[in-house]
PDB file of all heavy atoms in Angstrom:
ATOM      1  N   ALA A   1      88.703-154.636 -53.444  1.00  0.00           N
ATOM      2  CA  ALA A   1      88.680-155.974 -54.062  1.00  0.00           C
ATOM      3  C   ALA A   1      88.121-157.075 -53.142  1.00  0.00           C
ATOM      4  O   ALA A   1      87.657-158.100 -53.514  1.00  0.00           O
ATOM      5  CB  ALA A   1      89.997-156.399 -54.587  1.00  0.00           C
ATOM      6  N   TYR A   2      88.173-156.726 -51.810  1.00  0.00           N
ATOM      7  CA  TYR A   2      87.741-157.724 -50.836  1.00  0.00           C
ATOM      8  C   TYR A   2      86.216-157.588 -50.500  1.00  0.00           C
ATOM      9  O   TYR A   2      85.725-158.350 -49.675  1.00  0.00           O
ATOM     10  CB  TYR A   2      88.493-157.577 -49.559  1.00  0.00           C
ATOM     11  CG  TYR A   2      90.018-157.656 -49.728  1.00  0.00           C
ATOM     12  CD1 TYR A   2      90.876-156.923 -48.837  1.00  0.00           C
ATOM     13  CD2 TYR A   2      90.583-158.370 -50.714  1.00  0.00           C
ATOM     14  CE1 TYR A   2      92.236-156.979 -49.012  1.00  0.00           C
ATOM     15  CE2 TYR A   2      91.984-158.440 -50.911  1.00  0.00           C
ATOM     16  CZ  TYR A   2      92.838-157.789 -49.999  1.00  0.00           C
ATOM     17  OH  TYR A   2      94.169-157.823 -50.183  1.00  0.00           O
ATOM     18  N   GLN A   3      85.589-156.641 -51.224  1.00  0.00           N
ATOM     19  CA  GLN A   3      84.120-156.450 -50.935  1.00  0.00           C
ATOM     20  C   GLN A   3      83.338-157.495 -51.828  1.00  0.00           C
ATOM     21  O   GLN A   3      82.832-157.091 -52.936  1.00  0.00           O
ATOM     22  CB  GLN A   3      83.691-155.040 -51.288  1.00  0.00           C
ATOM     23  CG  GLN A   3      84.423-154.001 -50.412  1.00  0.00           C
ATOM     24  CD  GLN A   3      84.167-154.195 -48.934  1.00  0.00           C
ATOM     25  OE1 GLN A   3      83.126-154.516 -48.485  1.00  0.00           O
ATOM     26  NE2 GLN A   3      85.210-153.899 -48.150  1.00  0.00           N
ATOM     27  N   ASP A   4      83.253-158.708 -51.355  1.00  0.00           N
ATOM     28  CA  ASP A   4      82.573-159.731 -52.051  1.00  0.00           C
ATOM     29  C   ASP A   4      81.874-160.623 -51.018  1.00  0.00           C
ATOM     30  O   ASP A   4      81.990-160.330 -49.837  1.00  0.00           O
ATOM     31  CB  ASP A   4      83.538-160.624 -52.933  1.00  0.00           C
ATOM     32  CG  ASP A   4      84.678-161.277 -52.126  1.00  0.00           C
ATOM     33  OD1 ASP A   4      84.380-161.637 -50.972  1.00  0.00           O
ATOM     34  OD2 ASP A   4      85.798-161.383 -52.616  1.00  0.00           O
ATOM     35  N   PRO A   5      81.096-161.625 -51.446  1.00  0.00           N
ATOM     36  CA  PRO A   5      80.260-162.385 -50.453  1.00  0.00           C
ATOM     37  C   PRO A   5      81.097-162.958 -49.337  1.00  0.00           C
ATOM     38  O   PRO A   5      80.619-163.162 -48.222  1.00  0.00           O
ATOM     39  CB  PRO A   5      79.603-163.456 -51.338  1.00  0.00           C
ATOM     40  CG  PRO A   5      79.451-162.806 -52.649  1.00  0.00           C
ATOM     41  CD  PRO A   5      80.746-161.965 -52.831  1.00  0.00           C
ATOM     42  N   GLY A   6      82.425-163.168 -49.619  1.00  0.00           N
ATOM     43  CA  GLY A   6      83.248-163.810 -48.523  1.00  0.00           C
ATOM     44  C   GLY A   6      83.506-162.982 -47.327  1.00  0.00           C
ATOM     45  O   GLY A   6      83.893-163.437 -46.226  1.00  0.00           O
ATOM     46  N   VAL A   7      83.236-161.640 -47.436  1.00  0.00           N
ATOM     47  CA  VAL A   7      83.419-160.718 -46.316  1.00  0.00           C
ATOM     48  C   VAL A   7      82.223-160.667 -45.397  1.00  0.00           C
ATOM     49  O   VAL A   7      82.328-160.066 -44.270  1.00  0.00           O
ATOM     50  CB  VAL A   7      83.831-159.268 -46.839  1.00  0.00           C
ATOM     51  CG1 VAL A   7      82.563-158.534 -47.306  1.00  0.00           C
ATOM     52  CG2 VAL A   7      84.535-158.496 -45.812  1.00  0.00           C
ATOM     53  N   LEU A   8      81.116-161.191 -45.785  1.00  0.00           N
ATOM     54  CA  LEU A   8      79.898-161.089 -44.943  1.00  0.00           C
ATOM     55  C   LEU A   8      80.065-161.663 -43.517  1.00  0.00           C
ATOM     56  O   LEU A   8      79.575-161.074 -42.613  1.00  0.00           O
ATOM     57  CB  LEU A   8      78.691-161.700 -45.637  1.00  0.00           C
ATOM     58  CG  LEU A   8      77.360-161.384 -45.040  1.00  0.00           C
ATOM     59  CD1 LEU A   8      77.006-159.877 -45.095  1.00  0.00           C
ATOM     60  CD2 LEU A   8      76.210-162.220 -45.612  1.00  0.00           C
ATOM     61  N   PRO A   9      80.729-162.805 -43.383  1.00  0.00           N
ATOM     62  CA  PRO A   9      80.954-163.289 -42.001  1.00  0.00           C
ATOM     63  C   PRO A   9      81.698-162.340 -41.082  1.00  0.00           C
ATOM     64  O   PRO A   9      81.368-162.197 -39.939  1.00  0.00           O
ATOM     65  CB  PRO A   9      81.700-164.590 -42.178  1.00  0.00           C
ATOM     66  CG  PRO A   9      81.312-165.070 -43.546  1.00  0.00           C
ATOM     67  CD  PRO A   9      81.186-163.818 -44.370  1.00  0.00           C
ATOM     68  N   LEU A  10      82.629-161.604 -41.717  1.00  0.00           N
ATOM     69  CA  LEU A  10      83.332-160.528 -40.902  1.00  0.00           C
ATOM     70  C   LEU A  10      82.334-159.496 -40.422  1.00  0.00           C
ATOM     71  O   LEU A  10      82.302-159.094 -39.273  1.00  0.00           O
ATOM     72  CB  LEU A  10      84.500-159.966 -41.724  1.00  0.00           C
ATOM     73  CG  LEU A  10      85.140-158.646 -41.151  1.00  0.00           C
ATOM     74  CD1 LEU A  10      85.831-159.003 -39.834  1.00  0.00           C
ATOM     75  CD2 LEU A  10      86.066-158.040 -42.149  1.00  0.00           C
ATOM     76  N   TYR A  11      81.564-159.010 -41.435  1.00  0.00           N
ATOM     77  CA  TYR A  11      80.611-157.929 -41.117  1.00  0.00           C
ATOM     78  C   TYR A  11      79.548-158.422 -40.058  1.00  0.00           C
ATOM     79  O   TYR A  11      79.169-157.658 -39.218  1.00  0.00           O
ATOM     80  CB  TYR A  11      79.964-157.391 -42.306  1.00  0.00           C
ATOM     81  CG  TYR A  11      80.860-156.627 -43.229  1.00  0.00           C
ATOM     82  CD1 TYR A  11      80.585-156.451 -44.586  1.00  0.00           C
ATOM     83  CD2 TYR A  11      82.058-156.069 -42.684  1.00  0.00           C
ATOM     84  CE1 TYR A  11      81.455-155.683 -45.358  1.00  0.00           C
ATOM     85  CE2 TYR A  11      82.890-155.351 -43.543  1.00  0.00           C
ATOM     86  CZ  TYR A  11      82.538-155.183 -44.810  1.00  0.00           C
ATOM     87  OH  TYR A  11      83.440-154.400 -45.645  1.00  0.00           O
ATOM     88  N   LYS A  12      79.193-159.644 -40.217  1.00  0.00           N
ATOM     89  CA  LYS A  12      78.191-160.281 -39.243  1.00  0.00           C
ATOM     90  C   LYS A  12      78.838-160.206 -37.832  1.00  0.00           C
ATOM     91  O   LYS A  12      78.113-159.851 -36.818  1.00  0.00           O
ATOM     92  CB  LYS A  12      77.856-161.703 -39.589  1.00  0.00           C
ATOM     93  CG  LYS A  12      76.837-162.348 -38.644  1.00  0.00           C
ATOM     94  CD  LYS A  12      76.436-163.732 -39.165  1.00  0.00           C
ATOM     95  CE  LYS A  12      75.403-164.360 -38.168  1.00  0.00           C
ATOM     96  NZ  LYS A  12      75.087-165.778 -38.639  1.00  0.00           N
ATOM     97  N   HIS A  13      80.060-160.571 -37.722  1.00  0.00           N
ATOM     98  CA  HIS A  13      80.770-160.544 -36.406  1.00  0.00           C
ATOM     99  C   HIS A  13      80.782-159.152 -35.809  1.00  0.00           C
ATOM    100  O   HIS A  13      80.527-158.927 -34.632  1.00  0.00           O
ATOM    101  CB  HIS A  13      82.184-161.027 -36.566  1.00  0.00           C
ATOM    102  CG  HIS A  13      83.071-160.816 -35.327  1.00  0.00           C
ATOM    103  ND1 HIS A  13      82.916-161.517 -34.195  1.00  0.00           N
ATOM    104  CD2 HIS A  13      84.019-159.868 -35.036  1.00  0.00           C
ATOM    105  CE1 HIS A  13      83.801-161.065 -33.289  1.00  0.00           C
ATOM    106  NE2 HIS A  13      84.457-160.028 -33.771  1.00  0.00           N
ATOM    107  N   LEU A  14      81.041-158.133 -36.689  1.00  0.00           N
ATOM    108  CA  LEU A  14      81.059-156.733 -36.261  1.00  0.00           C
ATOM    109  C   LEU A  14      79.715-156.305 -35.720  1.00  0.00           C
ATOM    110  O   LEU A  14      79.628-155.608 -34.759  1.00  0.00           O
ATOM    111  CB  LEU A  14      81.599-155.863 -37.370  1.00  0.00           C
ATOM    112  CG  LEU A  14      83.022-156.148 -37.924  1.00  0.00           C
ATOM    113  CD1 LEU A  14      83.397-155.005 -38.884  1.00  0.00           C
ATOM    114  CD2 LEU A  14      84.030-156.250 -36.840  1.00  0.00           C
ATOM    115  N   VAL A  15      78.692-156.699 -36.425  1.00  0.00           N
ATOM    116  CA  VAL A  15      77.325-156.280 -36.065  1.00  0.00           C
ATOM    117  C   VAL A  15      76.992-156.922 -34.732  1.00  0.00           C
ATOM    118  O   VAL A  15      76.512-156.240 -33.811  1.00  0.00           O
ATOM    119  CB  VAL A  15      76.285-156.738 -37.090  1.00  0.00           C
ATOM    120  CG1 VAL A  15      74.850-156.606 -36.614  1.00  0.00           C
ATOM    121  CG2 VAL A  15      76.486-155.924 -38.398  1.00  0.00           C
ATOM    122  N   VAL A  16      77.196-158.237 -34.607  1.00  0.00           N
ATOM    123  CA  VAL A  16      76.756-158.946 -33.378  1.00  0.00           C
ATOM    124  C   VAL A  16      77.511-158.455 -32.160  1.00  0.00           C
ATOM    125  O   VAL A  16      76.968-158.303 -31.039  1.00  0.00           O
ATOM    126  CB  VAL A  16      76.851-160.470 -33.571  1.00  0.00           C
ATOM    127  CG1 VAL A  16      76.611-161.222 -32.278  1.00  0.00           C
ATOM    128  CG2 VAL A  16      75.893-160.986 -34.664  1.00  0.00           C
ATOM    129  N   SER A  17      78.836-158.265 -32.338  1.00  0.00           N
ATOM    130  CA  SER A  17      79.625-157.841 -31.183  1.00  0.00           C
ATOM    131  C   SER A  17      79.598-156.364 -30.942  1.00  0.00           C
ATOM    132  O   SER A  17      79.777-155.906 -29.799  1.00  0.00           O
ATOM    133  CB  SER A  17      81.121-158.263 -31.438  1.00  0.00           C
ATOM    134  OG  SER A  17      81.641-157.708 -32.621  1.00  0.00           O
ATOM    135  N   GLY A  18      79.267-155.552 -31.994  1.00  0.00           N
ATOM    136  CA  GLY A  18      79.121-154.134 -31.849  1.00  0.00           C
ATOM    137  C   GLY A  18      77.783-153.775 -31.079  1.00  0.00           C
ATOM    138  O   GLY A  18      77.760-152.994 -30.133  1.00  0.00           O
ATOM    139  N   ALA A  19      76.721-154.356 -31.549  1.00  0.00           N
ATOM    140  CA  ALA A  19      75.410-154.335 -30.880  1.00  0.00           C
ATOM    141  C   ALA A  19      74.994-152.972 -30.414  1.00  0.00           C
ATOM    142  O   ALA A  19      74.504-152.837 -29.280  1.00  0.00           O
ATOM    143  CB  ALA A  19      75.397-155.329 -29.741  1.00  0.00           C
ATOM    144  N   TRP A  20      75.199-151.899 -31.226  1.00  0.00           N
ATOM    145  CA  TRP A  20      74.662-150.654 -30.838  1.00  0.00           C
ATOM    146  C   TRP A  20      74.507-149.783 -32.136  1.00  0.00           C
ATOM    147  O   TRP A  20      75.194-150.020 -33.140  1.00  0.00           O
ATOM    148  CB  TRP A  20      75.546-149.906 -29.875  1.00  0.00           C
ATOM    149  CG  TRP A  20      74.807-148.768 -29.178  1.00  0.00           C
ATOM    150  CD1 TRP A  20      75.142-147.476 -29.151  1.00  0.00           C
ATOM    151  CD2 TRP A  20      73.643-148.893 -28.313  1.00  0.00           C
ATOM    152  NE1 TRP A  20      74.269-146.680 -28.434  1.00  0.00           N
ATOM    153  CE2 TRP A  20      73.325-147.526 -27.918  1.00  0.00           C
ATOM    154  CE3 TRP A  20      72.822-149.947 -27.995  1.00  0.00           C
ATOM    155  CZ2 TRP A  20      72.214-147.296 -27.070  1.00  0.00           C
ATOM    156  CZ3 TRP A  20      71.705-149.678 -27.142  1.00  0.00           C
ATOM    157  CH2 TRP A  20      71.427-148.379 -26.749  1.00  0.00           C
ATOM    158  N   TRP A  21      73.641-148.839 -32.111  1.00  0.00           N
ATOM    159  CA  TRP A  21      73.108-148.197 -33.330  1.00  0.00           C
ATOM    160  C   TRP A  21      74.251-147.522 -34.089  1.00  0.00           C
ATOM    161  O   TRP A  21      74.221-147.531 -35.387  1.00  0.00           O
ATOM    162  CB  TRP A  21      71.946-147.270 -33.051  1.00  0.00           C
ATOM    163  CG  TRP A  21      72.380-146.118 -32.225  1.00  0.00           C
ATOM    164  CD1 TRP A  21      72.232-146.019 -30.839  1.00  0.00           C
ATOM    165  CD2 TRP A  21      72.876-144.837 -32.643  1.00  0.00           C
ATOM    166  NE1 TRP A  21      72.659-144.778 -30.388  1.00  0.00           N
ATOM    167  CE2 TRP A  21      73.078-144.055 -31.466  1.00  0.00           C
ATOM    168  CE3 TRP A  21      73.201-144.258 -33.845  1.00  0.00           C
ATOM    169  CZ2 TRP A  21      73.535-142.737 -31.524  1.00  0.00           C
ATOM    170  CZ3 TRP A  21      73.713-142.991 -33.888  1.00  0.00           C
ATOM    171  CH2 TRP A  21      73.908-142.214 -32.719  1.00  0.00           C
ATOM    172  N   ASP A  22      75.119-146.833 -33.471  1.00  0.00           N
ATOM    173  CA  ASP A  22      76.138-146.025 -34.266  1.00  0.00           C
ATOM    174  C   ASP A  22      77.031-146.922 -35.018  1.00  0.00           C
ATOM    175  O   ASP A  22      77.477-146.524 -36.149  1.00  0.00           O
ATOM    176  CB  ASP A  22      76.977-145.113 -33.256  1.00  0.00           C
ATOM    177  CG  ASP A  22      77.752-145.908 -32.270  1.00  0.00           C
ATOM    178  OD1 ASP A  22      77.247-146.914 -31.701  1.00  0.00           O
ATOM    179  OD2 ASP A  22      78.928-145.554 -32.048  1.00  0.00           O
ATOM    180  N   LEU A  23      77.338-148.090 -34.536  1.00  0.00           N
ATOM    181  CA  LEU A  23      78.129-149.039 -35.275  1.00  0.00           C
ATOM    182  C   LEU A  23      77.357-149.870 -36.299  1.00  0.00           C
ATOM    183  O   LEU A  23      77.676-149.977 -37.422  1.00  0.00           O
ATOM    184  CB  LEU A  23      78.856-150.056 -34.251  1.00  0.00           C
ATOM    185  CG  LEU A  23      79.729-149.391 -33.172  1.00  0.00           C
ATOM    186  CD1 LEU A  23      80.110-150.409 -32.144  1.00  0.00           C
ATOM    187  CD2 LEU A  23      80.856-148.662 -33.749  1.00  0.00           C
ATOM    188  N   VAL A  24      76.241-150.381 -35.815  1.00  0.00           N
ATOM    189  CA  VAL A  24      75.362-151.229 -36.656  1.00  0.00           C
ATOM    190  C   VAL A  24      74.845-150.508 -37.881  1.00  0.00           C
ATOM    191  O   VAL A  24      74.839-151.008 -39.015  1.00  0.00           O
ATOM    192  CB  VAL A  24      74.262-151.898 -35.816  1.00  0.00           C
ATOM    193  CG1 VAL A  24      73.241-152.593 -36.712  1.00  0.00           C
ATOM    194  CG2 VAL A  24      74.876-152.840 -34.819  1.00  0.00           C
ATOM    195  N   ASP A  25      74.332-149.366 -37.688  1.00  0.00           N
ATOM    196  CA  ASP A  25      73.703-148.554 -38.784  1.00  0.00           C
ATOM    197  C   ASP A  25      74.721-148.229 -39.859  1.00  0.00           C
ATOM    198  O   ASP A  25      74.475-148.284 -41.068  1.00  0.00           O
ATOM    199  CB  ASP A  25      72.982-147.339 -38.255  1.00  0.00           C
ATOM    200  CG  ASP A  25      71.814-147.661 -37.379  1.00  0.00           C
ATOM    201  OD1 ASP A  25      71.562-148.831 -37.158  1.00  0.00           O
ATOM    202  OD2 ASP A  25      71.189-146.691 -36.883  1.00  0.00           O
ATOM    203  N   SER A  26      75.869-147.857 -39.458  1.00  0.00           N
ATOM    204  CA  SER A  26      76.982-147.593 -40.438  1.00  0.00           C
ATOM    205  C   SER A  26      77.322-148.801 -41.231  1.00  0.00           C
ATOM    206  O   SER A  26      77.492-148.807 -42.477  1.00  0.00           O
ATOM    207  CB  SER A  26      78.185-146.974 -39.770  1.00  0.00           C
ATOM    208  OG  SER A  26      79.159-146.646 -40.677  1.00  0.00           O
ATOM    209  N   LEU A  27      77.478-149.951 -40.518  1.00  0.00           N
ATOM    210  CA  LEU A  27      77.793-151.186 -41.233  1.00  0.00           C
ATOM    211  C   LEU A  27      76.665-151.574 -42.183  1.00  0.00           C
ATOM    212  O   LEU A  27      76.921-152.051 -43.272  1.00  0.00           O
ATOM    213  CB  LEU A  27      78.025-152.292 -40.144  1.00  0.00           C
ATOM    214  CG  LEU A  27      79.337-152.260 -39.358  1.00  0.00           C
ATOM    215  CD1 LEU A  27      79.221-153.100 -38.119  1.00  0.00           C
ATOM    216  CD2 LEU A  27      80.505-152.647 -40.245  1.00  0.00           C
ATOM    217  N   ALA A  28      75.490-151.412 -41.727  1.00  0.00           N
ATOM    218  CA  ALA A  28      74.322-151.786 -42.564  1.00  0.00           C
ATOM    219  C   ALA A  28      74.228-150.997 -43.817  1.00  0.00           C
ATOM    220  O   ALA A  28      74.036-151.555 -44.889  1.00  0.00           O
ATOM    221  CB  ALA A  28      73.025-151.675 -41.759  1.00  0.00           C
ATOM    222  N   THR A  29      74.270-149.637 -43.750  1.00  0.00           N
ATOM    223  CA  THR A  29      74.040-148.834 -44.910  1.00  0.00           C
ATOM    224  C   THR A  29      75.261-148.554 -45.736  1.00  0.00           C
ATOM    225  O   THR A  29      75.081-148.394 -46.963  1.00  0.00           O
ATOM    226  CB  THR A  29      73.442-147.439 -44.414  1.00  0.00           C
ATOM    227  OG1 THR A  29      74.393-146.828 -43.538  1.00  0.00           O
ATOM    228  CG2 THR A  29      72.118-147.710 -43.683  1.00  0.00           C
ATOM    229  N   LYS A  30      76.462-148.623 -45.203  1.00  0.00           N
ATOM    230  CA  LYS A  30      77.692-148.293 -45.882  1.00  0.00           C
ATOM    231  C   LYS A  30      78.482-149.485 -46.366  1.00  0.00           C
ATOM    232  O   LYS A  30      79.338-149.369 -47.305  1.00  0.00           O
ATOM    233  CB  LYS A  30      78.600-147.370 -45.095  1.00  0.00           C
ATOM    234  CG  LYS A  30      77.992-145.985 -44.803  1.00  0.00           C
ATOM    235  CD  LYS A  30      78.813-145.124 -43.987  1.00  0.00           C
ATOM    236  CE  LYS A  30      78.157-143.828 -43.636  1.00  0.00           C
ATOM    237  NZ  LYS A  30      79.104-142.976 -42.789  1.00  0.00           N
ATOM    238  N   ARG A  31      78.312-150.643 -45.641  1.00  0.00           N
ATOM    239  CA  ARG A  31      79.144-151.778 -46.006  1.00  0.00           C
ATOM    240  C   ARG A  31      78.212-152.889 -46.531  1.00  0.00           C
ATOM    241  O   ARG A  31      78.393-153.410 -47.633  1.00  0.00           O
ATOM    242  CB  ARG A  31      79.863-152.271 -44.740  1.00  0.00           C
ATOM    243  CG  ARG A  31      80.830-151.268 -44.192  1.00  0.00           C
ATOM    244  CD  ARG A  31      82.022-151.025 -45.042  1.00  0.00           C
ATOM    245  NE  ARG A  31      82.865-149.921 -44.420  1.00  0.00           N
ATOM    246  CZ  ARG A  31      82.745-148.688 -44.853  1.00  0.00           C
ATOM    247  NH1 ARG A  31      81.949-148.336 -45.811  1.00  0.00           N
ATOM    248  NH2 ARG A  31      83.583-147.749 -44.304  1.00  0.00           N
ATOM    249  N   ILE A  32      77.252-153.310 -45.723  1.00  0.00           N
ATOM    250  CA  ILE A  32      76.461-154.468 -46.121  1.00  0.00           C
ATOM    251  C   ILE A  32      75.462-154.227 -47.214  1.00  0.00           C
ATOM    252  O   ILE A  32      75.314-154.984 -48.203  1.00  0.00           O
ATOM    253  CB  ILE A  32      75.725-155.032 -44.885  1.00  0.00           C
ATOM    254  CG1 ILE A  32      76.801-155.583 -43.834  1.00  0.00           C
ATOM    255  CG2 ILE A  32      74.826-156.154 -45.216  1.00  0.00           C
ATOM    256  CD1 ILE A  32      76.273-155.808 -42.456  1.00  0.00           C
ATOM    257  N   GLY A  33      74.824-153.038 -47.170  1.00  0.00           N
ATOM    258  CA  GLY A  33      73.886-152.728 -48.204  1.00  0.00           C
ATOM    259  C   GLY A  33      74.500-152.728 -49.644  1.00  0.00           C
ATOM    260  O   GLY A  33      73.978-153.450 -50.520  1.00  0.00           O
ATOM    261  N   PRO A  34      75.568-151.970 -49.858  1.00  0.00           N
ATOM    262  CA  PRO A  34      76.235-152.007 -51.178  1.00  0.00           C
ATOM    263  C   PRO A  34      76.656-153.375 -51.547  1.00  0.00           C
ATOM    264  O   PRO A  34      76.642-153.760 -52.757  1.00  0.00           O
ATOM    265  CB  PRO A  34      77.412-151.066 -50.983  1.00  0.00           C
ATOM    266  CG  PRO A  34      76.961-150.104 -49.907  1.00  0.00           C
ATOM    267  CD  PRO A  34      76.154-150.942 -48.957  1.00  0.00           C
ATOM    268  N   LEU A  35      77.082-154.213 -50.547  1.00  0.00           N
ATOM    269  CA  LEU A  35      77.534-155.561 -50.870  1.00  0.00           C
ATOM    270  C   LEU A  35      76.357-156.415 -51.366  1.00  0.00           C
ATOM    271  O   LEU A  35      76.491-157.177 -52.338  1.00  0.00           O
ATOM    272  CB  LEU A  35      78.097-156.152 -49.544  1.00  0.00           C
ATOM    273  CG  LEU A  35      78.942-157.445 -49.663  1.00  0.00           C
ATOM    274  CD1 LEU A  35      80.231-157.195 -50.482  1.00  0.00           C
ATOM    275  CD2 LEU A  35      79.344-157.967 -48.286  1.00  0.00           C
ATOM    276  N   VAL A  36      75.203-156.325 -50.719  1.00  0.00           N
ATOM    277  CA  VAL A  36      74.038-157.094 -51.183  1.00  0.00           C
ATOM    278  C   VAL A  36      73.632-156.606 -52.539  1.00  0.00           C
ATOM    279  O   VAL A  36      73.250-157.515 -53.402  1.00  0.00           O
ATOM    280  CB  VAL A  36      72.911-156.961 -50.137  1.00  0.00           C
ATOM    281  CG1 VAL A  36      71.605-157.604 -50.669  1.00  0.00           C
ATOM    282  CG2 VAL A  36      73.325-157.531 -48.821  1.00  0.00           C
ATOM    283  N   ARG A  37      73.636-155.328 -52.835  1.00  0.00           N
ATOM    284  CA  ARG A  37      73.289-154.838 -54.167  1.00  0.00           C
ATOM    285  C   ARG A  37      74.224-155.369 -55.281  1.00  0.00           C
ATOM    286  O   ARG A  37      73.815-155.603 -56.365  1.00  0.00           O
ATOM    287  CB  ARG A  37      73.111-153.360 -54.165  1.00  0.00           C
ATOM    288  CG  ARG A  37      71.965-152.858 -53.379  1.00  0.00           C
ATOM    289  CD  ARG A  37      71.687-151.376 -53.607  1.00  0.00           C
ATOM    290  NE  ARG A  37      72.642-150.500 -52.958  1.00  0.00           N
ATOM    291  CZ  ARG A  37      72.626-150.179 -51.691  1.00  0.00           C
ATOM    292  NH1 ARG A  37      71.654-150.698 -50.869  1.00  0.00           N
ATOM    293  NH2 ARG A  37      73.484-149.334 -51.163  1.00  0.00           N
ATOM    294  N   ALA A  38      75.489-155.534 -54.859  1.00  0.00           N
ATOM    295  CA  ALA A  38      76.472-156.035 -55.863  1.00  0.00           C
ATOM    296  C   ALA A  38      76.333-157.485 -56.110  1.00  0.00           C
ATOM    297  O   ALA A  38      76.626-157.987 -57.162  1.00  0.00           O
ATOM    298  CB  ALA A  38      77.878-155.692 -55.357  1.00  0.00           C
ATOM    299  N   TYR A  39      75.898-158.250 -55.006  1.00  0.00           N
ATOM    300  CA  TYR A  39      75.761-159.698 -55.103  1.00  0.00           C
ATOM    301  C   TYR A  39      74.437-160.154 -54.616  1.00  0.00           C
ATOM    302  O   TYR A  39      74.339-160.910 -53.623  1.00  0.00           O
ATOM    303  CB  TYR A  39      76.904-160.373 -54.350  1.00  0.00           C
ATOM    304  CG  TYR A  39      78.267-160.025 -54.786  1.00  0.00           C
ATOM    305  CD1 TYR A  39      78.970-158.984 -54.194  1.00  0.00           C
ATOM    306  CD2 TYR A  39      78.911-160.694 -55.823  1.00  0.00           C
ATOM    307  CE1 TYR A  39      80.275-158.589 -54.571  1.00  0.00           C
ATOM    308  CE2 TYR A  39      80.198-160.439 -56.224  1.00  0.00           C
ATOM    309  CZ  TYR A  39      80.887-159.367 -55.581  1.00  0.00           C
ATOM    310  OH  TYR A  39      82.100-159.024 -56.016  1.00  0.00           O
ATOM    311  N   PRO A  40      73.333-159.774 -55.289  1.00  0.00           N
ATOM    312  CA  PRO A  40      72.024-160.077 -54.815  1.00  0.00           C
ATOM    313  C   PRO A  40      71.705-161.547 -54.735  1.00  0.00           C
ATOM    314  O   PRO A  40      71.098-162.034 -53.802  1.00  0.00           O
ATOM    315  CB  PRO A  40      71.046-159.358 -55.798  1.00  0.00           C
ATOM    316  CG  PRO A  40      71.905-159.195 -57.023  1.00  0.00           C
ATOM    317  CD  PRO A  40      73.319-159.050 -56.602  1.00  0.00           C
ATOM    318  N   VAL A  41      72.121-162.297 -55.709  1.00  0.00           N
ATOM    319  CA  VAL A  41      71.758-163.783 -55.680  1.00  0.00           C
ATOM    320  C   VAL A  41      72.420-164.436 -54.513  1.00  0.00           C
ATOM    321  O   VAL A  41      71.819-165.243 -53.847  1.00  0.00           O
ATOM    322  CB  VAL A  41      72.289-164.427 -57.023  1.00  0.00           C
ATOM    323  CG1 VAL A  41      72.032-165.897 -57.005  1.00  0.00           C
ATOM    324  CG2 VAL A  41      71.430-163.808 -58.219  1.00  0.00           C
TER     325      VAL A  41
END
């Protein structure tokens, strides 16, 4: 239920502070991608 636009700042923090492919790629394809498809506008 928390997978909505309000969670994007959290994921942004994880990406910027993680700053390496094994973390970033998983966040991009498994978390952020589905989120953008659910809330494209």
Side-chain angles (χ1 to χ4, degrees):
Y2 305 151
Q3 301 300 322
D4 60 34
V7 79
L8 192 65
L10 170 64
Y11 290 160
K12 181 178 182 180
H13 169 76
L14 302 186
V15 169
V16 172
S17 58
W20 199 241
W21 64 267
D22 62 318
L23 304 172
V24 170
D25 293 0
S26 182
L27 287 163
T29 59
K30 296 180 181 178
R31 302 288 176 264
I32 296 168
L35 195 63
V36 174
R37 289 192 287 280
Y39 299 94
V41 174

